Amino acid sequence: MGGITGLLMALAVAGGLLAVSLKNVLHAIFGLALTLLAVAGLFAVLGSPFVATMQVLIYVGGITVAMVFAVMLSTVVQKHATESPWRRAGAAVVALGFAVGVGMVIAAAGLPDGPAPELVADAWTVRQIGTSLLGDYNVVFEVLSVVLLLAIIGAIVISRHEGEEKQS
Amino acid sequence: MSHANLAVATLLAPLIAFAVALIGFRKKHDIAAAIAILGGFVSLVGSIWLLLDPAPTAELVTAPWFQVGGFKLEFGALLDGRTLLMGAVVGLITFCILIYSLGYMKDDPGKGRFFAFLGLFEWSMLSFAYAPNLLQGFIFWELVGLASFLLIGFWYHKPSAVAAAKKAFIMTRIGDVGMFVGLILLFGDVHTLDILEIGSIFGAPGLPEGLSAGRVELLAGLLFLGVMGKSAQFPLHTWLPDAMEGPTPVSALLHSATMVAAGVFLFARFHELFMDAHGLMTLVLAIAVFTAILSSTMAMVANDMKKILAFSSISQLGFMIMGLAAGSLFAGLFHLMTHALFKALLFMTAGAYIHHYGTNDIVAIGRAGGRKMRVTTLGLFAGGFALAGVPIFAGFWSKEVILGALHHDGYMVFLVGAYIAAFMTAYYTFRMIFLVVLPNANSDAIVEEPAGAQHGDHGHAHHGPDKAPLPMRLPIGLLSIGAVIAGLPFFGDAVAGLLGRPEEAHHAEISEMILPVAIVLAGVALAWLDFGAKRAPQRGLVAWFPPLERTLKNRWYIDAFYRRTVIRLTNAFAGLMYGAETRGFDGAGDAIAHGTMKVGVGTAKSHTGRLPIFIGTAVAILAIVSLSVALF
Amino acid sequence: MNLESFLLLALILFSLGLYAVMSRRNMIAILIGIELMLNAASLNFMAFNRFLPVEDPTVGQIFVLFIIGLAAAEVAIALSIILIVYRQRKRIDVDDITELKG
């Protein structure tokens, strides 16, 4: 258990590093996909295979693919102006500072140490999640569906409208 | 006819006449005039009838106006001695002037409007005089001011008339502010607006319950401010001479029975209250005596006939207030009555001369042959003798009562002042008479007045027989009789009885009369030496001292002083307020708006639109906040 | 493996995402960084949900589901915007998009 978790964590970090450092955006997306898969594995480790499945389906199967399509549609020639080192340095300083700061907060927070408590089998089933979603959180659920609908309509409207404008 | 119906008819007739004439017949001059005269006639009959048939006690004829909680307000008429007397005087004088205006305003393009305004004036004045409560009184007090504004500025195409109307309105308003505050305080103290009740509250011996002496002095002082404004007492007197810009009938109306009398009447109405303010009364006496002397000196050098009469009005108002302040209600109101008669008469004669010769200048009138207008000149004699206080004539008796009132109370200084004013009154009155009636070759030595250029009301002379038109001669004749007989002791006793103060009708012994008569005769004699005698220099005593003459002709430079100080200060203050408004308030608003915009523009510069910098800033702030939370 | 290690992993992923957002000029690369940060947040929810005694253990999972849904919506919009930008300028450099500057 511990070994698998450590491996997944290492994979996640490695994918993240690849995603932020690779010049080629397409490669970076694959790095991202690696991280997403590793995180899905971690979700499963954390006792929620359902969410892990969703992560794989939506993120890796949907979002990553959409991004790949976008890359293919937009950057026909994989030519990128490289970022200046100053810019990277500045970003690195801010990100490091953030990491150190929040890390200190985490260290100082006095979190409970030790392994996770025993799983309560009932509480982690898909049935439980479904009941919760359509029970206590059904309003949020509905709002989210409206948001998704709007996002789809918005995406269509934005791209089509602009396209027509360009043609005219 | 019951008193109630009479009172209602008296009060409403001028209003109806005003409304009908102004709305329906403004352009049909003769119909408007006829309606106004009809209204005036109804008021005359009603007010005289009421006067001759007084009820034994004060009557109230009222209709409810509105009711707020337990507080009821009524409109209507209070019929007691003071209002009956005042109403009759107003009715009589206004009617005479309405008739007179038929002649004077014959060809004026605004004749219909003029008669309508006269109706408005009469309505306001009667409603003020008969007012049963403070609120009605104040409303109509202001309406009197409005009507006089309209009438003084009647010839609105003349800038000087407009300026004079504005001046009259603003000067009286200064007093009215004080008076209004006084009325509010008074209401707060006595919790009633009813004039009779207020009279009885203050009429009781000693001070009313719950009011300190200082409080009463304050109330009286504030109310007296209103009196000062309306009745043109120093230092608010300067509007009155300028008000001569109106047509002469207006001057006759304003300065005899209505506008200026309103102030004196207010004093008389609240006489009980004023009498409780002992300290203030001394001050009021001082003001009145000073005003009387001051305006008399100005009258001594004026050449404009209407201005002379205007100055004399101020000084006679001073006499009335002296009488009232000295404690004699009868003295003040009796002089108000006789003065209304003879001053209206004098203005009418002045108007007749002006109408005929086209000039206001007494020297010019005299040289043009003023005495040839016989009825008018007889009127001038009657009115002038009454004004000067020649024995038997009306003014003599009423002034005698005032002097007597001063005598009794032992106000020695004021008595002497009053005698001086009386002496000067006789002098300038006879100066005017002699210059009109007995001009000689020396008269053109009199220089023109610097202030207030001489101009006839009409600007052109009417040629024809040397007599005034019949509508002008009739009221002159009628009032001449009044000016001769109205002061006789018989009338005095009747008035005193009506006012409920028979003990004040002071019958002087012959020995007591010697001094006043001697003083009047001395004034007349001096005027004779200066102006009347065959080879008289006709320059006047004052002309020997050119600086003094200049000062007097410039009205002691009081107007100039006001222009320099009060008006300049007011303008400066207005400028300051304007600055505060435009630069202070508006400027602050603008500054806030501009500041916000500048801040916006300034911070917008830092918005490079670059995502990394946005996020870096956000994260940096987040890091600082979380660090400070974690570490401290 | 305790709670702290999961939190630190999430922190690393988040910082990497932050670095990507701030340093990269390609808009799709920035989108990648955003996805990393969102995943870090999801991981935190799941970890807290698992390690802390919560009353209803479905809450954390539902939050993660919502995040995934919102991420999908966000990506849809972002990608359409990126496509427009590309059509207009023939490149998707974030430094070009400075219309919001003051």
Side-chain angles (χ1 to χ4, degrees):
Chain A
M1 186 69 186
I4 297 172
T5 311
L7 181 67
L8 286 172
M9 282 183 171
L11 278 176
V13 174
L17 281 172
L18 287 175
V20 300
S21 58
L22 287 177
K23 286 240 167 62
N24 191 321
V25 181
L26 207 52
H27 300 170
I29 290 173
F30 291 125
L32 175 66
L34 180 60
T35 307
L36 294 178
L37 281 171
V39 170
L42 283 173
F43 286 170
V45 168
L46 284 171
S48 183
F50 174 68
V51 178
T53 318
M54 287 301 118
Q55 169 95 352
V56 173
L57 278 178
I58 297 174
Y59 258 117
V60 186
I63 294 177
T64 317
V65 171
M67 286 168 97
V68 170
F69 270 109
V71 170
M72 289 172 150
L73 280 172
S74 60
T75 46
V76 182
V77 183
Q78 294 290 328
K79 194 182 78 183
H80 288 290
T82 49
E83 290 84 18
S84 71
W86 287 111
R87 184 177 183 137
R88 287 158 180 260
V93 166
V94 173
L96 259 178
F98 177 81
V100 171
V102 180
M104 284 166 72
V105 173
I106 291 172
L111 292 167
D113 204 3
E118 283 301 303
L119 278 177
V120 183
D122 265 7
W124 294 82
T125 59
V126 180
R127 174 188 296 273
Q128 268 319 97
I129 294 172
T131 311
S132 201
L133 258 185
L134 295 176
D136 290 347
Y137 298 96
N138 68 337
V139 176
V140 191
F141 182 72
E142 294 300 332
V143 170
L144 183 70
S145 19
V146 172
V147 169
L148 278 169
L149 180 66
L150 287 179
I152 293 163
I153 294 171
I156 294 170
V157 167
I158 290 172
S159 44
R160 206 187 63 172
H161 182 69
E162 294 289 326
E164 278 175 357
E165 209 173 52
K166 207 184 158 201
Q167 281 160 14
S168 63
Chain B
M1 261 231 253
S2 73
H3 284 177
N5 289 346
L6 269 177
V8 170
T10 307
L11 284 179
L12 289 187
L15 173 64
I16 295 168
F18 159 66
V20 172
L22 192 66
I23 296 168
F25 301 102
R26 191 154 52 93
K27 297 284 174 206
K28 302 189 179 72
H29 298 315
D30 294 325
I31 301 177
I35 291 170
I37 288 172
L38 189 66
F41 183 69
V42 172
S43 291
L44 170 71
V45 172
S47 58
I48 298 283
W49 193 328
L50 286 170
L51 176 71
L52 294 182
D53 181 25
T57 55
E59 276 182 282
L60 270 173
V61 181
T62 53
W65 182 16
F66 63 76
Q67 190 163 3
V68 180
F71 176 71
K72 225 163 76 186
L73 201 61
E74 289 173 322
F75 252 133
L78 162 65
L79 305 177
D80 71 350
R82 288 171 232 186
T83 63
L84 289 178
L85 180 67
M86 191 69 198
V89 170
V90 172
L92 177 64
I93 301 291
T94 314
F95 184 70
C96 289
I97 282 162
L98 281 165
I99 299 288
Y100 178 84
S101 303
L102 272 183
Y104 195 85
M105 303 300 284
K106 196 163 192 282
D107 302 319
D108 196 281
K111 189 176 168 191
R113 184 164 55 96
F114 182 79
F115 277 95
F117 284 166
L118 283 183
L120 172 68
F121 207 149
E122 186 177 14
W123 173 60
S124 320
M125 192 62 204
L126 283 173
S127 303
F128 167 68
Y130 285 121
N133 59 52
L134 288 179
L135 193 67
Q136 183 182 342
F138 185 73
I139 290 173
F140 285 98
W141 166 276
E142 294 297 346
L143 271 177
V144 168
L146 170 70
S148 62
F149 170 78
L150 292 173
L151 285 172
I152 293 170
F154 179 73
W155 282 316
Y156 53 81
H157 45 80
K158 267 189 357 191
S160 56
V162 175
K166 232 164 60 182
K167 189 172 177 182
F169 202 65
I170 293 170
M171 292 289 271
T172 51
R173 199 64 355 108
I174 294 172
D176 289 355
V177 172
M179 174 183 150
F180 191 53
V181 174
L183 288 181
I184 292 171
L185 291 183
L186 179 61
F187 177 62
D189 286 343
V190 299
H191 304 296
T192 177
L193 289 177
D194 194 289
I195 284 174
L196 269 186
E197 270 183 53
I198 293 173
S200 59
I201 288 173
F202 285 94
L207 289 174
E209 232 182 282
L211 286 183
S212 66
R215 182 71 172 188
V216 174
E217 303 266 350
L218 174 71
L219 288 174
L222 288 169
L223 290 180
F224 187 67
L225 277 179
V227 176
M228 265 159 81
K230 270 277 194 298
S231 289
Q233 295 300 294
F234 180 83
L236 296 180
H237 64 281
T238 60
W239 66 269
L240 199 144
D242 288 10
M244 294 301 132
E245 287 294 339
T248 308
V250 172
S251 310
L253 190 57
L254 244 64
H255 303 115
S256 58
T258 52
M259 175 82 171
V260 296
V264 175
F265 185 70
L266 182 82
F267 198 129
R269 190 69 271 186
F270 291 108
H271 196 246
E272 291 89 350
L273 192 160
F274 280 105
M275 280 307 103
D276 279 349
H278 304 290
L280 183 78
M281 282 310 103
T282 315
L283 177 67
V284 167
L285 269 175
I287 290 175
V289 171
F290 182 69
T291 308
I293 294 175
L294 186 82
S295 55
S296 299
T297 58
M298 294 191 274
M300 279 160 65
V301 297
N303 278 357
D304 184 327
M305 192 163 180
K306 286 171 76 179
K307 291 265 162 72
I308 295 175
L309 295 175
F311 291 132
S312 80
S313 286
I314 301 177
S315 103
Q316 297 305 307
L317 289 163
F319 271 105
M320 292 173 211
I321 291 177
M322 273 182 236
L324 289 171
S328 173
L329 179 66
F330 164 70
L333 280 182
F334 191 43
H335 195 54
L336 171 68
M337 184 189 101
T338 58
H339 172 258
L341 293 173
F342 67 70
K343 188 50 65 66
L345 171 63
L346 281 172
F347 269 113
M348 284 181 186
T349 63
Y353 288 128
I354 292 164
H355 190 66
H356 194 74
Y357 296 111
T359 176
N360 286 12
D361 193 314
I362 44 175
V363 179
I365 291 171
R367 292 169 72 79
R371 63 177 147 182
K372 276 181 275 180
M373 298 174 69
R374 265 200 215 99
V375 176
T376 308
T377 306
L378 276 177
L380 177 67
F381 281 148
F385 282 29
L387 172 61
V390 173
I392 312 301
F393 288 88
F396 168 73
W397 301 100
S398 52
K399 221 177 272 186
E400 172 60 31
V401 180
I402 292 172
L403 293 172
L406 285 171
H407 216 33
H408 281 260
D409 288 46
Y411 292 116
M412 208 45 212
V413 185
F414 303 129
L415 187 63
V416 171
Y419 276 133
I420 293 173
F423 170 75
M424 286 195 288
T425 305
Y427 175 78
Y428 69 69
T429 309
F430 276 86
R431 168 180 177 267
M432 177 175 76
I433 293 175
F434 289 144
L435 279 177
V436 169
V437 179
L438 299 170
N440 70 17
N442 293 326
S443 59
D444 51 354
I446 296 175
V447 290
E448 292 279 300
E449 276 185 40
Q454 311 276 314
H455 44 71
D457 279 355
H458 290 264
H460 60 88
H462 289 255
H463 298 290
D466 278 333
K467 60 182 186 180
L470 184 67
M472 291 164 72
R473 274 183 292 154
L474 266 181
I476 288 177
L478 181 66
L479 287 183
S480 297
I481 299 170
V484 176
I485 62 166
L488 293 175
F490 162 71
F491 286 104
D493 289 346
V495 170
L498 190 67
L499 293 174
R501 307 277 181 97
E503 74 283 358
E504 285 175 5
H506 157 72
H507 292 286
E509 304 293 316
I510 298 293
S511 58
E512 279 181 281
M513 287 191 190
I514 290 174
L515 183 61
V517 172
I519 280 172
V520 168
L521 289 183
V524 175
L526 188 60
W528 171 259
L529 287 179
D530 270 355
F531 298 99
K534 244 208 163 100
R535 290 178 191 286
Q538 297 214 324
R539 290 183 62 207
L541 200 58
V542 187
W544 295 104
F545 310 101
L548 179 63
E549 188 184 21
R550 255 201 316 282
T551 307
L552 294 186
K553 290 215 176 207
N554 283 301
R555 305 184 199 160
W556 292 100
Y557 296 106
I558 290 172
D559 277 296
F561 175 73
Y562 284 165
R563 258 196 300 283
R564 294 251 174 78
T565 56
V566 178
I567 294 179
R568 192 172 287 181
L569 270 179
T570 310
N571 282 342
F573 184 66
L576 195 72
M577 287 294 109
Y578 180 73
E581 165 76 30
T582 53
R583 253 169 276 146
F585 293 115
D586 289 5
D590 287 355
I592 289 171
H594 283 146
T596 313
M597 262 176 73
K598 284 227 175 90
V599 169
V601 170
T603 44
K605 291 258 163 64
S606 70
H607 268 227
T608 56
R610 284 165 192 266
L611 192 59
I613 294 175
F614 289 170
I615 293 172
T617 315
V619 172
I621 290 169
L622 183 66
I624 290 167
V625 170
S626 36
L627 268 183
S628 51
V629 168
L631 298 183
F632 306 109
Chain C
M1 289 295 141
N2 54 13
L3 177 57
E4 201 157 303
S5 57
F6 280 95
L7 292 188
L8 286 177
L9 171 65
L11 177 61
I12 291 168
L13 288 181
F14 192 93
S15 300
L16 286 172
L18 190 57
Y19 169 77
V21 168
M22 288 171 65
S23 69
R24 303 297 287 258
R25 294 168 65 178
N26 189 310
M27 284 166 77
I28 292 177
I30 289 171
L31 203 54
I32 291 168
I34 292 171
E35 296 306 328
L36 279 176
M37 294 201 280
L38 282 170
N39 258 280
S42 302
L43 200 53
N44 269 359
F45 274 115
M46 286 303 286
F48 280 123
N49 195 38
R50 178 73 180 86
F51 284 95
L52 294 184
V54 288
E55 199 178 305
D56 178 6
T58 60
V59 175
Q61 306 176 59
I62 285 170
F63 261 101
V64 174
L65 288 175
F66 286 153
I67 289 174
I68 294 172
L70 284 175
E74 171 237 335
V75 165
I77 297 288
L79 286 179
S80 62
I81 290 173
I82 288 170
L83 283 181
I84 293 164
V85 172
Y86 175 74
R87 274 189 219 151
Q88 284 194 345
R89 301 175 191 257
K90 293 294 163 206
R91 53 190 229 162
I92 46 173
D93 191 330
V94 76
D95 288 359
D96 294 345
I97 319 298
T98 55
E99 272 79 12
L100 279 179
K101 76 173 175 209

